[in-house]
Amino acid sequence: MAVPSDRTPKRVISTRLGLAIVLLPLSLVGLQMLFESESGCACGSPSDRGRYGIVLIRAMQIEYREKYGTFAESLPMLQQTTALQIPSSYTQSFQFSVEANSERAVIDAIPLSETTVIDRFHLGLRTLKFRSIVGVTAFHNGEYISILCESEQPTTAKPPEPRLIRGQFTCPANFNQI
């Protein structure tokens, strides 16, 4: 024998509609956090695009030097002569620059702003903090040596150049090697 239920079809529909109204915005917030996180996933640090951009530029500089015997003096020159390109999603957060001579290439990734708030629905979700990054690649004693350094604090200031001491690069003051 069936047990009588006070769940009428109207009450079930009303309950489901109420759940949908509550869960839909929450799922959209979750999707926003997933797709708008700094690294393209729900992981990583805010400076990943700067790091990945510098690593790409470093690879482009090595390719350029192997081909022409010197480092490229500018980013446009580098992009015109190599197959690698910096994804536009990286340049939305960072300004990349290159200064080079025949011995070494200095690559900067400077944030366009110190912080970015991800808050499409005005819920106060997250504030991303961006740090300046500097990298150097050199051809020293027949081999490539490199270093990547990130500022300790969020900043939009141009980073100082790492120094070469006894065949090794060291990060400037207030920067950590990454």
Side-chain angles (χ1 to χ4, degrees):
M1 177 172 189
V3 178
S5 171
D6 63 340
R7 299 189 83 191
T8 63
K10 284 185 180 179
R11 193 175 290 228
V12 170
I13 292 171
S14 158
T15 303
R16 287 183 182 165
L17 184 60
L19 282 173
I21 289 171
V22 170
L23 293 178
L24 183 62
L26 290 176
S27 64
L28 291 175
V29 168
L31 285 173
Q32 175 190 353
M33 290 174 69
L34 177 66
F35 290 112
E36 289 189 9
S37 71
E38 187 56 27
S39 63
C41 66
C43 58
S45 75
S47 296
D48 281 348
R49 288 183 184 160
R51 291 176 186 165
Y52 298 153
I54 284 187
V55 169
L56 278 173
I57 295 169
R58 180 175 60 194
M60 293 163 65
Q61 281 286 19
I62 291 171
E63 178 184 330
Y64 188 93
R65 189 183 184 289
E66 291 293 316
K67 190 173 185 178
Y68 299 105
T70 187
F71 291 107
E73 295 177 8
S74 70
L75 193 55
M77 176 189 290
L78 197 57
Q79 290 179 308
Q80 290 173 357
T81 57
T82 60
L84 295 172
Q85 295 296 313
I86 301 169
S88 61
S89 62
Y90 294 5
T91 58
Q92 291 172 358
S93 302
F94 287 88
Q95 176 183 359
F96 295 95
S97 65
V98 171
E99 294 176 19
N101 58 35
S102 61
E103 298 173 8
R104 66 175 148 194
V106 180
I107 308 157
D108 297 328
I110 301 171
L112 297 177
S113 67
E114 288 182 24
T115 60
T116 297
V117 177
I118 296 178
D119 196 5
R120 180 172 293 161
F121 300 110
H122 307 289
L123 300 173
L125 294 177
R126 292 175 52 183
T127 300
L128 301 177
K129 297 185 180 200
F130 296 98
R131 293 171 165 77
S132 290
I133 303 168
V134 61
V136 176
T137 297
F139 193 72
H140 184 73
N141 293 333
E143 65 182 14
Y144 290 99
I145 56 172
S146 299
I147 193 168
L148 289 178
C149 307
E150 182 177 57
S151 62
E152 293 174 352
Q153 299 297 319
T155 182
T156 57
K158 181 173 174 51
E161 187 176 322
R163 297 180 55 187
L164 183 64
I165 301 173
R166 290 186 228 114
Q168 297 291 321
F169 282 110
T170 58
C171 291
N174 302 315
F175 280 73
N176 296 317
Q177 185 173 349
I178 53 174

